[in-house]
Each structure stands twice: as structure tokens, then as C-alpha cells.
Amino acid sequence: MKAIVCENYGPLDKLAYKEVDDPSPAGSQVVIRPDAIGVNYPDGLLVQGLYQAKPNLPFVPGMEAAGEIVALGPDAERFRRGDRVVASMENGAYAQRVLVEEAACTALPEDLDAGAACALLCGYGTAHHALKQRATLQPGETLLVLGAAGATGLAAVQIGQAMGARVIAVASSEDKRALAVSEGAEVAIGYDDLRGDIKRLTDSKGVDVAFDPVGGEAFEAVSRSMAWNGRLLVIGFASGTIPQFPVNLALVKGYSVVGVFWGAFTRKEPEVFADNMRELMEWATTGQIEPHVSERAPLADAADVLKRIHARQTTGKIVLVP
């Protein structure tokens, strides 16, 4: 089979598209023939050796795959060959066959597209966990979403709207801001006068919850624009700059800075993660949220897709198709 292989940590264009051995399931493992493979910002960090974890080399990147089960280990009990599932994993998804533990699989509703299902994992999963468990977002609260046209940002916009919040989207271009509004934001603004715009749009109160996958200068502006009892969610650092936080702001403004690490959450709280996935699947099938799959690219183009994501040149969710 063909797969994308990281042979050495380094530039994204050094990823190899090559022939590797087909996987053979053991124990409770299953093999999925994917119809869609999710591409996520952290995949590129892993390949460059910049993520919190460093897999042993060589490895196949990718954390999401959705498709049909084609083989089962002798101890697999929940699924049968031919079942459609979506699976979350630490790596291994950028391949024509994906080996994963049966416990990491969720059954796909018949009418849910495989690409949309991939979006529901890392992107929507992160946003949902952040807003539900970490921020306990309440109806009527004001939610600010940075990077609102990206896969995770758009998910936060949609989920925030579904949870009854007033959503203010922040994006870098008119087209991206229009997309965020079309996906549920009440209003969309840019980064040029972020602090002033937040003050204007909240009558100087500040925002109750801020969802920040960007970091850098934007984080600094938001850290000075939080409401009393607010929650500033640290999602990631797409700007490339990890900001320094003046902790006196949390004291005098009475708000919390809350870290969100979805991957660790799925491992440490698997039952809560499973409940979250069931809720997201229900919301997707009933139309409360609608994952925005902006592009379907060939598996061989994985390096190019990752480079564009890291350059912040994409919107919504991109999936690879083997």
C-alpha cells in the first residue's frame, strides 16, 4: 500500500509518498480502508519535531481516518467487516490502510460523509471540549473566536452558536470574515484594532470566553479584553509565537487562563470523550452543526496541504483521499 512517511524530523516537503507493508491486525485492532483522512495543524508540527510528543522514526502522520473496516484482529468484538467508522489515533492515518485499536473507532451514521466525520474529531472535538468542559460556555455569553476561518475556528463558531452564545469571529481577510459570519458568527472583525473592536462590540465589558488557536500579538490583545469571570482558552499557536502572559492581568481582571489539549483529554477521559463524540454526531446529523470540508486532496499531496495550512492559506477542513 501507499503511505506518507516521515523518515526524519524536518521540513514538510521532505515527507515521502512511498510503498509500505500492509498492516495486519492483532488483538483488538482493526484495519480501515479510508474514504477520507483528516489533515490537522498538529500533524505538521509532529513532522517538524515541534510538537509536545515525538513519535519514533520513521512514522506515518495523521490522527483521523474514516472509512470501511476491512480486517479485524481475533479479539475485536464491536464491529464487523464492512462497517463504516471514524477513528482517532496519535498517528498512522496518512495511508491507504489504517491500523487502529477498535476502542478508538466510532460508528458512522449512514448519512454522514466521511470527510465531515473526520472534521468532527480533532477540529470539532477540540472546540467542543474547550467550550463545553473547559469553559462551561453558557447561553447568552459572548464568545470571541480567533482564527475563525480555520478548521478549529469554524468549529468553535458553529458550536458556540449551537450552545447559545453570541459569537464574535476574528479573521485576517474579508473573505474569511464573510465565511465565519455565514457559519454562525454574529459579527466578524480583523486583527488591526482587535482590542478597540472588542471594547466597542462589548460596551467595554470584554468577552466572557475567548478561543485562541493563534497566540502571538492577538493573545496579548485578548488578554487585556476579558470580562470579569472570563475564561481565556489556550488552544494553540498558529502565529508561530508562544506569548508571554502577564499574570497580574488574571488577578486584577478576575479571569482564568485555561489550557486545552484535546489529545490528552481523549486518553485521560475516554468516557467523556465518547459522550462528546455522540453529541457531535447527533448535532451533525440533525443539522445543528455542519462541518465545512473545503477541499479534498489526493493522499500524495499531503505535504503541500500541510504547508498551506501552516501558512494560514486555507479555510475549513481539508481531507486527503487515498
Side-chain angles (χ1 to χ4, degrees):
M1 70 171 187
K2 292 284 191 179
I4 299 291
V5 181
C6 176
E7 298 174 319
N8 293 287
Y9 293 119
L12 297 172
D13 56 12
K14 296 298 183 182
L15 284 169
Y17 179 58
K18 60 187 292 187
E19 194 75 26
V20 300
D21 293 338
D22 281 18
S24 179
S28 58
Q29 294 174 325
V30 301
V31 175
I32 300 169
R33 182 178 63 209
D35 296 315
I37 298 162
V39 184
N40 295 289
Y41 186 86
D43 297 343
L45 295 177
L46 272 171
V47 168
Q48 296 173 86
L50 300 175
Y51 200 56
Q52 292 95 328
K54 288 190 176 181
N56 294 328
L57 295 167
F59 73 94
V60 174
M63 301 186 289
E64 305 161 341
E68 179 183 331
I69 290 179
V70 294
L72 303 115
D75 300 328
E77 298 178 343
R78 292 174 52 216
F79 297 105
R80 299 180 179 179
R81 289 180 181 85
D83 286 349
R84 292 178 72 242
V85 298
V86 60
S88 172
M89 62 211 77
E90 292 185 17
N91 50 67
Y94 288 12
Q96 292 177 326
R97 297 289 186 275
V98 176
L99 181 69
V100 67
E101 285 292 332
E102 183 184 43
C105 298
T106 300
L108 279 188
E110 187 174 330
D111 54 351
L112 186 62
D113 170 75
C118 285
L120 290 179
L121 285 173
C122 185
Y124 278 76
T126 296
H128 185 250
H129 168 55
L131 299 179
K132 183 174 183 178
Q133 278 91 29
R134 303 299 285 155
T136 59
L137 180 68
Q138 300 300 307
E141 288 192 313
T142 299
L143 166 66
L144 182 83
V145 179
L146 301 182
T152 306
L154 276 180
V157 167
Q158 288 190 3
I159 292 170
Q161 196 270 342
M163 293 176 71
R166 178 201 182 204
V167 181
I168 300 173
V170 187
S172 59
S173 70
E174 287 290 349
D175 287 346
K176 290 181 177 181
R177 291 191 283 273
L179 175 61
V181 170
S182 73
E183 296 291 336
E186 178 181 302
V187 63
I189 57 179
Y191 290 93
D192 291 342
D193 185 21
L194 187 52
R195 192 176 175 191
D197 285 339
I198 294 172
K199 184 176 181 180
R200 172 177 56 83
L201 291 169
T202 63
D203 294 327
S204 299
K205 174 193 170 187
V207 296
D208 299 300
V209 176
F211 182 94
D212 181 15
V214 176
E217 293 181 2
F219 176 91
E220 183 178 349
V222 173
S223 70
R224 299 177 184 278
S225 304
M226 298 300 299
W228 185 258
N229 286 329
R231 289 84 78 202
L232 200 172
L233 300 170
V234 179
I235 311 297
F237 314 105
S239 67
T241 301
I242 299 176
Q244 300 297 307
F245 177 62
V247 294
N248 62 301
L249 289 176
L251 187 154
V252 300
K253 296 178 74 68
Y255 70 86
S256 303
V257 179
V258 185
V260 180
F261 189 1
W262 179 77
F265 159 68
T266 66
R267 295 188 295 273
K268 292 178 180 293
E269 301 181 57
E271 293 181 358
V272 181
F273 165 56
D275 287 341
N276 281 7
M277 284 305 302
R278 281 190 284 270
E279 184 167 52
L280 286 172
M281 292 282 185
E282 180 182 348
W283 285 358
T285 54
T286 58
Q288 289 179 267
I289 59 173
E290 187 174 345
H292 183 87
V293 179
S294 59
E295 184 180 341
R296 298 172 193 266
L299 176 60
D301 292 352
D304 175 68
V305 171
L306 282 170
K307 284 191 287 185
R308 288 190 285 121
I309 288 175
H310 276 249
R312 300 175 70 182
Q313 295 173 347
T314 62
T315 60
K317 183 71 173 182
I318 301 179
V319 297
L320 302 173
V321 181

